[in-house]
Amino acid sequence: QVQLVESGGGLVQAGGSLRLSCSASGGTFSTYAMGWFRQAPGKEREFVAAISWGGGNTPYADSVKGRFTISRDNAKDTVYLQMNSLKPEDTAVYYCAADLSPNAWHVTMKSYEYNYWGQGTQVTVSS
């Protein structure tokens, strides 16, 4: 059983930056592809970014491309989401998720393919 704990959320002004962290325990982190999703009030959960366990495959949602960067440190069992140039529409609860991956390049943008989820961290961007 893998446990995921997100941190780093908060309140920031538009144009500001935040870095989210997701720490994993209870599994072999280096064999999981990791993803970030978000859910705004009244909206469905949506894909933000993902990273293969090898780190070489990192798809992004079009809405965050060029502003957000996903990375991972397998030695620390942690995945990060650096968020720059934040906009009010980025306001949401951000979740990290783990997908037991068959190889170093595999990654998915489909939430139902992820095996484990964190509890989420709130990000609020004021205008």
Side-chain angles (χ1 to χ4, degrees):
Q1 188 77 7
V2 175
Q3 291 82 43
L4 302 174
V5 179
E6 302 96 336
S7 61
L11 174 64
V12 64
Q13 289 188 331
S17 298
L18 284 174
R19 188 176 82 154
L20 305 183
S21 299
C22 173
S23 296
S25 61
T28 306
F29 180 77
S30 59
T31 63
Y32 284 86
M34 300 297 295
W36 285 98
F37 291 78
R38 66 186 182 186
Q39 187 166 19
K43 295 187 177 181
E44 293 187 353
R45 189 172 299 188
E46 65 174 1
F47 170 77
V48 176
I51 186 166
S52 58
W53 63 252
N57 193 0
T58 55
Y60 294 90
D62 288 344
S63 59
V64 307
K65 202 170 293 183
R67 299 187 298 123
F68 291 10
T69 302
I70 190 170
S71 61
R72 66 189 295 158
D73 185 339
N74 287 344
K76 296 183 177 180
D77 292 353
T78 301
V79 62
Y80 305 97
L81 185 68
Q82 178 66 44
M83 305 186 295
N84 299 328
S85 302
L86 283 161
K87 304 175 180 180
E89 51 263 44
D90 294 318
T91 295
V93 177
Y94 283 70
Y95 300 89
C96 72
D99 168 36
L100 185 58
S101 178
N103 60 60
W105 284 94
H106 170 81
V107 70
T108 180
M109 295 179 281
K110 301 173 183 176
S111 61
Y112 61 83
E113 294 188 354
Y114 284 82
N115 306 100
Y116 303 101
W117 291 83
Q119 292 300 306
T121 185
Q122 176 70 46
V123 171
T124 303
V125 184
S126 63
S127 56

